[in-house]
Amino acid sequence: MTALALRGTLWMGDVPLIRNLSIDMPAGRWSCLLGPSGIGKSSIARLIAGLPGPQRLEGALRTHDGLPLAGRVALMAQGGQLLPWADLVANVTVGARLRGARPDVARARALLAQAGLSGLEARRPTALSGGQQQRVALARVLMEDAPVVLLDEPFSALDTATRLAMQDLAARMLTGRTVILITHDPLEALRLADRAWLLGDAGAQPLALPETPAPRDFRAPEVLTAQAALLARLQGDAACGV
Amino acid sequence: MRRLTIAPLRAALALGVALALWQAVVWLTGVPRFILPGPGRVGAALWDNAALLAEHARFTVVNLLTGLAAGIALGVATALNLALSPGARLMLRPMLIFAQAVPVFALAPILTLWLGYGAASKIVIVMLVIYFPVTSAFFDGLMRLPAPLADLAQMMRATPLRRLFLLQVPHAVPALFSGLRLAVVYAPFAVIIGEWVGASRGLGHLMLLANGRGQTELMFAALIVLAGMSLVLFAALEGLARHGLREG
C-alpha cells in the first residue's frame, strides 16, 4: 500500500491555481479533495495521474516508499473512457491487452459480477445506463489492481439515487486501497472520506468529518449536521468569491 | 423491415418515372436517334450486344477492383505508418499534400505512355486516384482519438503498437469508411479515363468505338452497364459499412 504527500503550489501555466498545498493521504484509506468547479480539481487529478497538461507543481508529490508513482495509479474518470466498440469483458481487460499481457477473463467476469453486471458481459457500453457504465469502469479499475486508485468526479454525471448506490458499491469494492477521490459533491466527501480537504486558491483546508467510519449513511444525524455546516461554509466562500 | 420492402419499390418507381421522361423527351422533340435514342432502343442495344458488353465490362471491372484493392491497401498502410511514426509524418505529409495538388487524372496519358495500353495503366490510375482520399480520411480518424481514451492508454502504459490497433484503429473505422465511399465514387471515373486515353478493351474503349461508328444506342448501353457497376459497388460498400460499424 502506498501513502502520498502533496506539497507546494499548483500552477496552471503562469497562473498560480492553488497555493501552499499540504496534503497527506494515508495508505489504504479514502482521501477526498472537495472543491468547487474551476478551482483546479482536474489539474490535481492529472498531476497525480501523471497525465500531460498545462498543470505544474512547484513542490513535490511524494510516496512513502520514495518510488515514483507512475504505473501505480489506476484512474476512473467521469466518463468517456469505455470503448464503445468492445463488449464489457473486453472493456475490463483492455489494460492487460494494451500492455501486451494475457487478459484474465475469469477475473474480469468475477469483477463484473461483483459490480452487479452478471449476464451483461457480452453487451456494449452504449447499451448500458450511465450508472451501469460507471460500474464497468469500477470493475476495470479493480482489474488494474493498482496500489493507488484515483477517482476523478466518478459519479458526477449520475442522478442522485444512482450516485448514492454507486458510492456504496465503490466503498465496498475499493476497501483497503489507497483511494483519492476528487469531487465537488459535499455529501459524497462526507460519506466516503477517511480524510478530506476543501480546496481553495489559498490552499487545502482539512475538513472535519463525522467520527463514524466510512462509508457513512446519508441519513445519519451526524452526516446531515456536517453536511449542513459544510454547505453553509461553501455558500459563504462562494459569496466571498463573487 | 419496413424499409426493406419500401426502398426497392421507391427505387423502381423513380426509375420508371425517369424512363418515361426520357421517352417523352424523345417523342416530343423528335430528336434524331443518333443524338438521343429512346430507352426502348437502348434496351434493345443492351440485349443485342449482351455478350460484347459483358466481355468489355469484365476487363473494366477486373481493373477497377484490382486498382481499388491495391489503392485501399496502400492507403491504409500509409495511414497506419503515419499514425505510428512522427518521423514518417514529418517526411511523408508534405509529399502527400504535394501529390494531392497534382490532378491525378491528368497523369493518365503519362501512365499510358509508361505502362502501355493494357491493364497495368488502368490499375495504377485507379490506385493513384483513390490513394489520397483513403489515406487522408483514415489518418485523420487515427489521430483523433478522444482525450479520455488517450489518457486511458497512457494510464495503462499501452505500447504504441497496441494503442494503435486496440484504440486508434477501431475508433477510426467510421472515418475509413467515409474515405472508402469517396474511393468507390472516384474509381469508376478513373478506370474509364484510363481507357479513354488508350486501351484495346473495356467499356470506355467500347464507348469511343461506338461513338466513332455512330452507334449511339451502344454508347448508352455501355454507359448503363457502367452506372450499374458503380451502383453495385456502392451498395456493397454500404452493406459492409453497416455490418462493419455494427460489429466494429
Side-chain angles (χ1 to χ4, degrees):
Chain A
M1 267 183 285
T2 311
L4 296 173
L6 177 61
R7 300 266 185 283
T9 297
L10 181 70
W11 292 74
M12 182 76 141
D14 302 336
V15 185
L17 217 49
I18 308 176
R19 294 171 198 276
N20 306 319
L21 282 166
S22 177
I23 298 174
D24 288 292
M25 294 172 266
R29 294 300 178 92
W30 283 66
S31 300
C32 176
L33 305 179
L34 176 69
S37 312
I39 195 70
K41 291 197 299 294
S42 55
S43 297
I44 289 195
R46 294 188 79 78
L47 182 80
I48 296 171
L51 289 169
Q55 75 278 353
R56 181 168 57 84
L57 180 68
E58 190 183 284
L61 174 63
R62 289 204 185 84
T63 55
H64 72 293
D65 54 13
L67 296 173
L69 194 55
R72 291 198 284 172
V73 187
L75 169 69
M76 174 174 168
Q78 187 170 341
Q81 290 200 312
L82 297 181
L83 317 180
W85 57 81
D87 67 21
L88 300 195
V89 173
N91 261 290
V92 172
T93 56
V94 72
R97 287 182 295 128
L98 281 171
R99 287 184 292 272
R102 197 186 170 78
D104 186 346
V105 173
R107 192 169 124 77
R109 286 178 174 278
L111 285 172
L112 281 169
Q114 212 182 320
L117 295 166
S118 303
L120 304 178
E121 294 89 347
R123 295 256 182 109
R124 300 279 164 83
T126 40
L128 302 181
S129 69
Q132 287 173 321
Q133 291 184 13
Q134 289 308 75
R135 285 168 188 261
V136 180
L138 193 57
R140 183 165 70 189
V141 156
L142 279 161
M143 191 75 191
E144 288 297 290
D145 212 9
V148 177
V149 173
L150 177 60
L151 306 177
D152 181 14
E153 300 271 6
F155 314 125
S156 297
L158 306 177
D159 64 80
T160 308
T162 310
R163 194 185 308 172
L164 290 171
M166 284 302 295
Q167 288 165 357
D168 291 329
L169 179 72
R172 217 163 42 237
M173 288 182 77
L174 295 172
T175 304
R177 284 170 203 270
T178 305
V179 179
I180 304 163
L181 170 67
I182 294 176
T183 183
H184 67 251
D185 179 356
L187 181 59
E188 192 161 277
L190 292 171
R191 292 197 67 206
L192 297 175
D194 294 305
R195 291 213 193 164
W197 291 266
L198 180 62
L199 298 175
D201 42 18
Q205 306 297 323
L207 275 183
L209 294 166
E211 305 220 326
T212 48
R216 303 177 182 92
D217 190 335
F218 59 92
R219 286 158 297 202
E222 64 274 16
V223 172
L224 292 173
T225 313
Q227 189 187 9
L230 186 49
L231 286 175
R233 185 172 164 186
L234 290 173
Q235 195 183 29
D237 285 359
C240 290
V242 173
Chain B
M1 276 298 111
R2 203 168 148 248
R3 277 198 54 186
L4 273 182
T5 51
I6 299 276
L9 214 73
R10 263 210 306 250
L13 196 73
L15 189 67
V17 170
L19 287 175
L21 275 174
W22 179 3
Q23 187 64 62
V25 167
V26 171
W27 275 336
L28 291 174
T29 60
V31 66
R33 51 182 275 209
F34 59 86
I35 300 288
L36 179 63
R41 286 186 182 284
V42 172
L46 259 175
W47 180 259
D48 295 340
N49 298 292
L52 182 73
L53 284 165
E55 189 202 316
H56 286 280
R58 207 168 61 92
F59 182 75
T60 301
V61 88
V62 167
N63 294 340
L64 177 64
L65 292 180
T66 311
L68 255 179
I72 290 169
L74 204 64
V76 165
T78 308
L80 289 174
N81 269 303
L82 286 176
L84 206 52
S85 146
R89 282 206 284 285
L90 219 62
M91 302 238 317
L92 269 175
R93 244 169 138 184
M95 279 165 67
L96 274 174
I97 289 167
F98 176 74
Q100 192 202 17
V102 176
V104 187
F105 288 116
L107 292 178
I110 299 170
L111 289 172
T112 309
L113 177 72
W114 288 346
L115 301 169
Y117 287 84
S121 56
K122 288 37 165 200
I123 292 171
V124 170
I125 190 161
V126 172
M127 227 172 91
L128 287 180
V129 164
I130 68 162
Y131 173 70
F132 191 81
V134 171
T135 306
S136 133
F138 191 37
F139 174 69
D140 280 350
L142 290 173
M143 296 309 280
R144 252 186 251 129
L145 190 67
L149 293 184
D151 288 349
L152 182 81
Q154 179 156 358
M155 293 301 298
M156 292 179 161
R157 286 163 289 136
T159 67
L161 203 63
R162 285 172 180 274
R163 181 184 195 269
L164 178 66
F165 282 103
L166 289 172
L167 302 179
Q168 288 170 281
V169 168
H171 173 74
V173 166
L176 174 62
F177 270 108
S178 57
L180 293 183
R181 266 182 211 112
L182 281 179
V184 159
V185 170
Y186 289 163
F189 280 106
V191 80
I192 291 302
I193 285 185
E195 288 177 1
W196 280 354
V197 169
S200 50
R201 276 192 290 167
L203 286 174
H205 167 72
L206 184 65
M207 282 176 82
L208 288 187
L209 219 63
N211 189 28
R213 294 175 185 164
Q215 296 170 313
T216 315
E217 289 96 345
L218 184 59
M219 262 180 81
F220 272 82
L223 193 65
I224 284 171
V225 173
L226 192 68
M229 226 153 77
S230 300
L231 280 177
V232 168
L233 207 60
F234 201 77
L237 183 73
E238 286 303 307
L240 197 69
R242 261 202 307 279
H243 183 76
L245 295 184
R246 205 180 50 237
E247 292 301 308

